[in-house]
Amino acid sequence: MTAVSISKMSEISLGARDMLPMALAAATYGAAFGLLASQSGFSFGQSLSMSALVFGGSAQLVALDQLTAGAGITAAILAGAALNMRILLITASMRAALVNRPWWQVALGVYLATDASVALMQTAKSRGALASYWYLCGGGAFLLLVWILATSLGALMSQGIPDPARLGLDFAIVAVFVALLPGLWRGRNDLLPWSAAAGVVLMFTWMFPSQASWALILGAIIGAITAGVTHDD
Amino acid sequence: MTTEIWLSILGLGVASYAIRLGGYLLALRLPQEGGWARGMEALPGCLIVALVVLMMIKGGTIEWIAGGVVLLVAAKTRNLPTSMLVGMGLVAGMRILVL
């Protein structure tokens, strides 16, 4: 092996290793989805295909919910897409890792992008490095694998899993994102954008309680706009 | 029902991929300096803040206490797995005590 491919392999495995905490959180979520899907009449192949194609927990759960409620195909797709819309913001922020790559690498890189990619970029930054393309792919591929395995496990177990809430597992995903905040904080310049993002989410969910996914996207965009129009000290 | 399920899976799969690719293509066309760049740099932080606010709205006292502790531990240690395990342990422990 050449030196280049050795460093590529080590980037991939480092990404997978850094993904571990998010993978644990995703595993419980994936098992829950698999379980619910099989109870709602999804075949094993359908649950697996959905996890592989959509690769977004909340979007899958919402689409599943719409389908079982009899809302129809269009409503299910629209509701799920609304929840996945935030990934648009994530692949946008992955620009530096993707730019000037061959088209198939861009195609693969964006497919593996999730909320957890933000966590990986943050972990790399705390080491003083920019998240490389292969690092993000290694982490993303590992998460996808865990996601599909967890979905299968959940789909196969129709009953008899312990209540995840009793083990605090449902809090895992919240804890991951809360723990990201100190690292994302870049100093006083972030105060205004962050307050704007939080304020918009609070206001919007208060006015439109059933539109949480739009509250999220609107909050993030208005926070970013605030950062864009204000000048650094 | 089974055709309906397959069509929804395929439709949402295509939509999700288009969203993923769309974000990158959009970022390619935005200026790399000035206000746009400042906004894009602030975007991951704002997205996670929005996500945390949304999740905490649904939480009760236990989740708020655990969330606060996770924030402190993360600020001190800057270690993601440790902070996460502390949070999960706290939530599980407090739920046992309360129930």
Side-chain angles (χ1 to χ4, degrees):
Chain A
M1 269 208 279
T2 64
V4 175
S5 61
I6 289 170
S7 83
K8 190 198 284 181
M9 283 313 291
S10 69
E11 288 280 301
I12 290 175
S13 62
L14 185 65
R17 210 188 65 194
D18 285 347
M19 189 58 99
L20 267 173
M22 282 73 79
L24 174 66
T28 58
Y29 210 162
F33 167 75
L35 190 67
L36 279 171
S38 69
Q39 284 170 351
S40 313
F42 273 49
S43 69
F44 186 72
Q46 286 170 331
S47 305
L48 240 63
S49 306
M50 196 178 204
S51 278
L53 287 174
V54 180
F55 194 19
S58 47
Q60 290 174 224
L61 282 174
V62 164
L64 178 69
D65 179 61
Q66 295 285 311
L67 272 182
T68 46
I73 301 169
T74 314
I77 294 174
L78 281 180
L83 273 165
N84 263 352
M85 197 60 98
R86 70 186 185 286
I87 303 180
L88 186 121
L89 308 178
I90 293 166
T91 51
S93 60
M94 282 167 63
R95 181 190 181 280
L98 293 169
V99 77
N100 294 331
R101 292 265 159 195
W103 66 268
W104 65 269
Q105 288 184 4
V106 172
L108 178 69
V110 297
Y111 169 55
L112 295 172
T114 58
D115 300 292
S117 309
V118 180
L120 278 193
M121 287 191 271
Q122 199 49 45
T123 309
K125 211 170 127 198
S126 69
R127 285 204 197 94
L130 272 180
S132 75
Y133 173 79
W134 293 110
Y135 173 78
L136 289 172
C137 276
F142 177 61
L143 188 71
L144 179 64
L145 188 71
V146 170
W147 182 241
I148 291 177
L149 283 176
T151 306
S152 329
L153 212 64
L156 290 175
M157 293 186 300
S158 52
Q159 58 205 21
I161 55 163
D163 180 9
R166 276 193 53 202
L167 302 169
L169 284 172
D170 58 321
F171 192 71
I173 203 149
V174 184
V176 164
F177 290 120
V178 171
L180 281 177
L181 290 174
L184 284 165
W185 175 256
R186 298 170 303 167
R188 272 191 26 229
N189 286 329
D190 274 331
L191 185 61
L192 207 57
W194 284 28
S195 309
V200 168
V201 172
L202 284 174
M203 188 98 116
F204 197 86
T205 43
W206 178 63
M207 291 192 298
F208 309 100
S210 59
Q211 302 292 331
S213 55
W214 292 111
L216 176 67
I217 293 159
L218 207 63
I221 289 177
I222 289 182
I225 290 175
T226 308
V229 296
T230 53
H231 281 275
D232 294 350
D233 295 338
Chain B
M1 182 73 177
T2 191
T3 319
E4 202 181 15
I5 291 174
W6 276 120
L7 286 175
S8 304
I9 290 171
L10 288 176
L12 185 54
V14 169
S16 299
Y17 193 80
I19 289 166
R20 286 183 160 97
L21 192 59
Y24 170 65
L25 296 178
L26 196 69
L28 275 186
R29 276 150 191 80
L30 295 177
Q32 294 307 303
E33 50 205 31
W36 277 108
R38 276 201 304 280
M40 288 309 291
E41 278 162 25
L43 192 53
C46 291
L47 182 69
I48 300 300
V49 167
L51 202 60
V52 166
V53 170
L54 202 59
M55 291 192 291
M56 292 309 282
I57 290 174
K58 289 181 239 155
T61 316
I62 288 177
E63 287 76 16
W64 274 88
I65 294 172
V69 174
V70 170
L71 193 62
L72 284 177
V73 173
K76 269 261 177 275
T77 65
R78 294 293 167 106
N79 185 311
L80 200 58
T82 309
S83 317
M84 188 180 105
L85 289 175
V86 167
M88 287 166 59
L90 263 178
V91 167
M94 283 189 285
R95 280 181 188 159
I96 289 170
L97 290 177
V98 169
L99 291 176

